[in-house]
Protein backbone atom coordinates (compact mmCIF):
# COMPACT_ATOMS: atom_id res chain seq x y z
CA UNK A 1 0.00 0.00 0.00
CA UNK A 2 1.22 3.49 -0.92
CA UNK A 3 -0.18 6.29 1.24
CA UNK A 4 0.13 9.86 -0.05
CA UNK A 5 -0.38 12.84 2.23
CA UNK A 6 -1.64 16.23 1.10
CA UNK A 7 -3.45 14.67 -1.84
CA UNK A 8 -5.85 17.59 -2.26
CA UNK A 9 -2.88 19.89 -2.82
CA UNK A 10 -1.14 20.26 -6.17
CA UNK A 11 1.89 18.05 -5.59
CA UNK A 12 0.07 15.32 -3.69
CA UNK A 13 -2.79 15.11 -6.18
CA UNK A 14 -0.48 14.92 -9.17
CA UNK A 15 1.56 12.25 -7.42
CA UNK A 16 -1.58 10.12 -7.05
CA UNK A 17 -2.50 10.72 -10.69
CA UNK A 18 1.00 9.71 -11.74
CA UNK A 19 0.85 6.52 -9.66
CA UNK A 20 -2.41 5.60 -11.35
CA UNK A 21 -0.98 6.44 -14.78
CA UNK A 22 1.97 4.16 -14.06
CA UNK A 23 -0.41 1.26 -13.51
CA UNK A 24 -0.49 1.14 -9.72
CA UNK A 25 -3.97 -0.24 -8.90
CA UNK A 26 -6.24 2.22 -7.12
CA UNK A 27 -6.83 -0.42 -4.44
CA UNK A 28 -3.14 -0.19 -3.54
CA UNK A 29 -3.22 3.58 -3.00
CA UNK A 30 -4.57 5.56 -0.05
CA UNK A 31 -4.57 9.29 0.56
CA UNK A 32 -4.38 11.09 3.88
CA UNK A 33 -6.22 14.41 3.59
CA UNK A 34 -7.54 17.09 5.89
CA UNK A 35 -10.95 17.17 4.21
CA UNK A 36 -11.95 13.75 2.80
CA UNK A 37 -14.89 15.30 0.96
CA UNK A 38 -12.40 17.13 -1.26
CA UNK A 39 -11.05 13.80 -2.49
CA UNK A 40 -14.43 12.26 -3.32
CA UNK A 41 -13.43 11.84 -6.95
CA UNK A 42 -10.45 9.73 -5.93
CA UNK A 43 -12.69 7.60 -3.72
CA UNK A 44 -14.99 7.06 -6.70
CA UNK A 45 -11.98 5.70 -8.61
CA UNK A 46 -11.17 3.18 -5.88
CA UNK A 47 -8.50 5.08 -3.94
CA UNK A 48 -8.90 4.79 -0.16
CA UNK A 49 -9.54 8.25 1.29
CA UNK A 50 -8.59 8.72 4.94
CA UNK A 51 -8.73 11.69 7.23
CA UNK A 52 -5.20 12.73 8.14
CA UNK A 53 -4.71 16.27 9.37
CA UNK A 54 -1.25 17.58 10.28
CA UNK A 55 -2.91 19.86 12.81
CA UNK A 56 -4.70 16.92 14.45
CA UNK A 57 -1.92 14.42 15.22
CA UNK A 58 -4.43 11.92 16.60
CA UNK A 59 -5.71 11.35 13.05
CA UNK A 60 -2.36 10.50 11.49
CA UNK A 61 -1.46 6.99 12.65
CA UNK A 62 -4.75 5.54 11.42
CA UNK A 63 -4.35 7.42 8.14
CA UNK A 64 -0.91 5.87 7.65
CA UNK A 65 -1.91 2.33 8.68
CA UNK A 66 -0.76 -0.42 6.33
CA UNK A 67 1.61 1.84 4.40
CA UNK A 68 4.49 -0.02 2.81
CA UNK A 69 5.48 3.42 1.49
CA UNK A 70 4.38 6.77 2.88
CA UNK A 71 4.80 9.71 0.53
CA UNK A 72 5.10 12.51 3.06
CA UNK A 73 4.34 15.73 1.20
CA UNK A 74 5.66 18.62 3.25
CA UNK A 75 3.16 20.87 4.99
CA UNK A 76 2.52 24.38 3.65
CA UNK A 77 2.10 26.45 6.80
CA UNK A 78 4.10 29.69 6.38
CA UNK A 79 5.50 29.53 9.92
CA UNK A 80 8.63 27.39 10.16
CA UNK A 81 8.11 26.34 13.78
CA UNK A 82 4.57 25.23 12.99
CA UNK A 83 5.72 23.24 9.97
CA UNK A 84 8.41 21.45 11.96
CA UNK A 85 5.83 20.61 14.62
CA UNK A 86 3.48 19.23 11.98
CA UNK A 87 6.24 17.14 10.47
CA UNK A 88 7.37 15.87 13.88
CA UNK A 89 3.82 14.65 14.53
CA UNK A 90 3.67 12.98 11.11
CA UNK A 91 7.00 11.21 11.58
CA UNK A 92 5.95 9.99 15.03
CA UNK A 93 2.69 8.71 13.57
CA UNK A 94 4.60 6.89 10.83
CA UNK A 95 6.57 5.08 13.52
CA UNK A 96 3.39 4.26 15.42
CA UNK A 97 1.73 2.93 12.28
CA UNK A 98 4.71 0.76 11.36
CA UNK A 99 5.25 2.45 7.99
CA UNK A 100 7.72 0.52 5.85
CA UNK A 101 9.38 3.46 4.08
CA UNK A 102 9.08 7.24 4.02
CA UNK A 103 9.45 9.22 0.80
CA UNK A 104 9.72 12.84 1.89
CA UNK A 105 9.44 15.92 -0.34
CA UNK A 106 12.28 18.13 0.84
CA UNK A 107 14.14 21.09 -0.71
CA UNK A 108 17.25 21.33 -2.86
CA UNK A 109 20.48 20.93 -0.84
CA UNK A 110 18.45 20.83 2.37
CA UNK A 111 21.45 20.33 4.61
CA UNK A 112 23.28 23.45 3.36
CA UNK A 113 20.64 25.64 1.68
CA UNK A 114 20.54 29.13 3.27
CA UNK A 115 16.80 29.67 2.69
CA UNK A 116 14.83 30.07 5.90
CA UNK A 117 12.44 27.45 4.54
CA UNK A 118 15.29 24.95 4.34
CA UNK A 119 15.53 24.80 8.13
CA UNK A 120 12.18 22.99 8.11
CA UNK A 121 13.37 20.39 5.65
CA UNK A 122 16.75 19.86 7.27
CA UNK A 123 15.05 19.31 10.63
CA UNK A 124 12.51 16.93 9.10
CA UNK A 125 15.16 14.90 7.32
CA UNK A 126 16.94 14.54 10.66
CA UNK A 127 13.71 13.41 12.36
CA UNK A 128 13.16 10.78 9.67
CA UNK A 129 16.73 9.51 9.82
CA UNK A 130 16.45 9.15 13.60
CA UNK A 131 13.49 6.75 13.30
CA UNK A 132 15.49 4.08 11.50
CA UNK A 133 12.68 3.75 8.95
CA UNK A 134 14.01 3.36 5.38
CA UNK A 135 13.69 6.69 3.57
CA UNK A 136 14.11 8.53 0.31
CA UNK A 137 14.50 12.31 0.29
CA UNK A 138 13.19 14.09 -2.79
CA UNK A 139 14.98 17.41 -2.57
CA UNK A 140 12.78 19.43 -4.89
CA UNK A 141 14.01 22.73 -6.30
CA UNK A 142 11.55 25.57 -6.97
CA UNK A 143 8.38 25.02 -9.00
CA UNK A 144 8.07 26.86 -12.31
CA UNK A 145 4.53 27.60 -11.20
CA UNK A 146 5.81 29.73 -8.31
CA UNK A 147 6.45 32.31 -11.01
CA UNK A 148 4.46 31.34 -14.08
CA UNK A 149 1.12 31.20 -12.27
CA UNK A 150 1.31 34.98 -11.95
CA UNK A 151 2.08 35.65 -15.61
CA UNK A 152 -1.54 36.14 -16.80
CA UNK A 153 -2.14 38.88 -14.24
CA UNK A 154 1.31 40.38 -14.76
CA UNK A 155 0.67 40.80 -18.48
CA UNK A 156 -1.63 43.72 -17.69
CA UNK A 157 1.17 45.40 -15.74
CA UNK A 158 3.77 44.74 -18.43
CA UNK A 159 6.14 42.78 -16.25
CA UNK A 160 7.24 41.06 -13.06
CA UNK A 161 8.89 42.41 -9.94
CA UNK A 162 11.19 40.62 -7.54
CA UNK A 163 14.39 40.95 -5.58
CA UNK A 164 16.41 38.01 -6.93
CA UNK A 165 18.59 40.17 -9.20
CA UNK A 166 20.57 37.88 -11.56
CA UNK A 167 20.20 34.81 -9.34
CA UNK A 168 19.61 31.64 -11.31
CA UNK A 169 16.76 29.22 -10.65
CA UNK A 170 16.84 25.56 -11.74
CA UNK A 171 13.09 25.02 -11.56
CA UNK A 172 10.95 22.19 -12.85
CA UNK A 173 7.19 21.82 -13.05
CA UNK A 174 5.02 20.46 -10.27
CA UNK A 175 4.09 17.64 -12.63
CA UNK A 176 7.78 16.75 -13.05
CA UNK A 177 8.29 16.53 -9.29
CA UNK A 178 5.06 14.55 -8.82
CA UNK A 179 6.06 12.05 -11.49
CA UNK A 180 9.43 11.58 -9.79
CA UNK A 181 7.67 10.95 -6.47
CA UNK A 182 5.51 8.30 -8.14
CA UNK A 183 8.55 6.66 -9.76
CA UNK A 184 10.26 6.37 -6.39
CA UNK A 185 7.15 5.36 -4.44
CA UNK A 186 6.28 2.58 -6.87
CA UNK A 187 9.84 1.47 -7.48
CA UNK A 188 12.76 -0.16 -5.73
CA UNK A 189 16.44 0.57 -5.28
CA UNK A 190 15.98 4.09 -3.97
CA UNK A 191 16.20 3.60 -0.20
CA UNK A 192 18.73 5.80 1.58
CA UNK A 193 19.02 8.20 -1.37
CA UNK A 194 18.73 11.97 -1.21
CA UNK A 195 17.90 13.00 -4.77
CA UNK A 196 18.64 16.58 -5.79
CA UNK A 197 15.70 17.23 -8.12
CA UNK A 198 16.13 20.25 -10.38
CA UNK A 199 15.39 21.31 -13.89
CA UNK A 200 17.86 20.56 -16.66
CA UNK A 201 18.82 24.25 -16.93
CA UNK A 202 18.73 27.35 -14.77
CA UNK A 203 17.38 30.79 -15.67
CA UNK A 204 16.98 34.27 -14.22
CA UNK A 205 13.80 36.26 -13.72
CA UNK A 206 15.02 38.55 -16.48
CA UNK A 207 15.20 35.56 -18.82
CA UNK A 208 11.72 34.52 -17.75
CA UNK A 209 10.39 37.97 -18.61
CA UNK A 210 12.17 37.90 -21.98
CA UNK A 211 10.55 34.55 -22.79
CA UNK A 212 7.10 35.93 -21.97
CA UNK A 213 7.78 38.90 -24.26
CA UNK A 214 8.95 36.56 -27.01
CA UNK A 215 5.88 34.35 -26.83
CA UNK A 216 3.32 37.15 -26.50
CA UNK A 217 4.94 39.67 -28.81
CA UNK A 218 4.30 42.33 -26.17
CA UNK A 219 6.68 44.29 -23.93
CA UNK A 220 7.26 42.41 -20.70
CA UNK A 221 10.11 43.15 -18.32
CA UNK A 222 11.54 42.17 -14.96
CA UNK A 223 12.10 44.94 -12.41
CA UNK A 224 14.44 44.20 -9.53
CA UNK A 225 13.51 45.89 -6.26
CA UNK A 226 15.19 46.31 -2.89
CA UNK A 227 14.05 43.53 -0.56
CA UNK A 228 11.95 45.85 1.60
CA UNK A 229 10.15 47.23 -1.45
CA UNK A 230 9.42 43.74 -2.75
CA UNK A 231 8.06 42.75 0.65
CA UNK A 232 5.81 45.80 0.54
CA UNK A 233 4.48 44.73 -2.87
CA UNK A 234 3.64 41.28 -1.51
CA UNK A 235 1.98 42.77 1.56
CA UNK A 236 -0.04 45.09 -0.66
CA UNK A 237 -1.20 42.06 -2.63
CA UNK A 238 -2.76 40.69 0.55
CA UNK A 239 -0.24 37.98 1.45
CA UNK A 240 0.08 37.00 5.11
CA UNK A 241 3.11 38.31 6.96
CA UNK A 242 4.70 34.88 7.37
CA UNK A 243 4.40 34.16 3.67
CA UNK A 244 5.79 37.58 2.77
CA UNK A 245 8.83 36.89 4.95
CA UNK A 246 9.35 33.44 3.45
CA UNK A 247 9.08 34.60 -0.18
CA UNK A 248 11.28 37.64 0.36
CA UNK A 249 13.90 35.51 2.10
CA UNK A 250 13.84 33.05 -0.79
CA UNK A 251 14.32 35.80 -3.36
CA UNK A 252 17.19 37.38 -1.44
CA UNK A 253 19.03 34.05 -1.16
CA UNK A 254 18.30 33.27 -4.80
CA UNK A 255 20.60 36.19 -5.62
CA UNK A 256 23.41 34.22 -4.02
CA UNK A 257 22.71 30.97 -5.82
CA UNK A 258 20.48 29.12 -3.33
CA UNK A 259 18.35 27.67 -6.16
CA UNK A 260 20.95 27.54 -8.93
CA UNK A 261 22.03 23.90 -8.58
CA UNK A 262 21.49 21.87 -11.75
CA UNK A 263 21.42 18.11 -11.22
CA UNK A 264 20.62 15.19 -13.52
CA UNK A 265 18.69 13.33 -10.81
CA UNK A 266 15.22 14.44 -11.88
CA UNK A 267 15.86 13.81 -15.57
CA UNK A 268 17.22 10.36 -14.70
CA UNK A 269 14.21 9.39 -12.59
CA UNK A 270 11.79 10.61 -15.24
CA UNK A 271 13.66 9.06 -18.14
CA UNK A 272 13.04 12.23 -20.13
CA UNK A 273 14.03 15.91 -20.14
CA UNK A 274 12.44 18.14 -17.53
CA UNK A 275 10.01 20.93 -18.40
CA UNK A 276 11.79 23.81 -20.16
CA UNK A 277 11.39 27.54 -19.56
CA UNK A 278 9.63 28.05 -22.93
CA UNK A 279 7.36 25.10 -22.18
CA UNK A 280 6.43 26.43 -18.76
CA UNK A 281 5.67 29.88 -20.14
CA UNK A 282 3.58 28.42 -22.96
CA UNK A 283 1.56 26.43 -20.43
CA UNK A 284 0.91 29.54 -18.34
CA UNK A 285 -0.19 31.51 -21.39
CA UNK A 286 -2.86 28.95 -22.25
CA UNK A 287 -5.11 30.61 -19.68
CA UNK A 288 -4.74 34.09 -21.23
Amino acid sequence: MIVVTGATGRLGRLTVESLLARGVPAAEIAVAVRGPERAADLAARGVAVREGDYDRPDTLAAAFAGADTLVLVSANAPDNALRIGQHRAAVAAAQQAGVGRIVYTSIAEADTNPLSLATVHKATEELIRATGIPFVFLRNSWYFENYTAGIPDALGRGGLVGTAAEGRIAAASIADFAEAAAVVAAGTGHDGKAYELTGDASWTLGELAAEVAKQTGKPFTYTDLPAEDYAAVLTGAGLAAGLVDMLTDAEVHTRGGALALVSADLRTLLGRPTTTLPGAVAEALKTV
Side-chain angles (χ1 to χ4, degrees):
M1 172 74 74
I2 299 171
V3 177
V4 181
T5 71
T8 54
R10 296 178 298 172
L11 181 59
R13 171 56 71 108
L14 287 174
T15 298
V16 174
E17 294 293 348
S18 188
L19 286 168
L20 292 169
R22 294 182 64 80
V24 177
E28 295 179 11
I29 302 171
V31 296
V33 295
R34 176 176 299 177
E37 69 283 353
R38 295 175 57 199
D41 62 312
L42 290 177
R45 294 160 67 185
V47 173
V49 176
R50 305 170 176 177
E51 183 178 14
D53 187 342
Y54 287 140
D55 292 322
R56 295 174 55 210
D58 58 300
T59 66
L60 296 175
F64 299 164
D68 301 300
T69 293
L70 172 66
V71 180
L72 185 60
V73 176
S74 56
N76 60 7
D79 179 84
N80 284 352
L82 177 58
R83 284 167 65 111
I84 292 172
Q86 291 172 326
H87 291 176
R88 181 178 291 108
V91 172
Q95 283 185 287
Q96 183 181 344
V99 164
R101 177 177 63 152
I102 298 175
V103 176
Y104 173 63
T105 62
S106 188
I107 194 171
E109 300 182 287
D111 44 358
T112 59
N113 195 309
L115 267 66
S116 171
L117 181 60
T119 62
V120 174
H121 296 292
K122 180 180 180 180
T124 305
E125 288 188 6
E126 291 171 352
L127 287 169
I128 293 170
R129 287 182 188 274
T131 66
I133 298 172
F135 66 84
V136 187
F137 297 147
L138 304 179
R139 292 177 168 175
N140 296 345
S141 188
W142 239 221
Y143 301 159
F144 265 119
E145 289 84 351
N146 290 351
Y147 297 101
T148 59
I151 288 174
D153 288 339
L155 285 172
R157 299 188 297 272
L160 300 169
V161 299
T163 189
E166 294 299 312
R168 303 195 70 81
I169 303 162
S173 70
I174 298 173
D176 288 343
F177 292 125
E179 185 178 339
V183 167
V184 169
T188 60
H190 304 288
D191 289 5
K193 302 287 182 62
Y195 289 117
E196 298 291 348
L197 303 184
T198 77
D200 291 339
S202 64
W203 43 271
T204 67
L205 291 178
E207 290 168 355
L208 169 61
E211 184 61 33
V212 174
K214 178 180 177 181
Q215 293 195 27
T216 62
K218 300 176 181 178
F220 195 86
T221 60
Y222 168 64
T223 301
D224 199 64
L225 302 174
E228 59 272 19
D229 292 349
Y230 178 61
V233 169
L234 297 178
T235 300
L239 275 64
L243 185 57
V244 170
D245 290 344
M246 184 185 76
L247 293 175
T248 303
D249 173 84
E251 288 263 310
V252 167
H253 285 296
T254 295
R255 296 178 191 174
L259 297 172
L261 174 71
V262 174
S263 164
D265 286 355
L266 182 55
R267 181 189 186 107
T268 299
L269 287 175
L270 298 180
R272 61 167 175 81
T274 63
T275 300
T276 63
L277 177 62
V281 169
E283 185 66 26
L285 291 175
K286 287 180 179 179
T287 63
V288 176

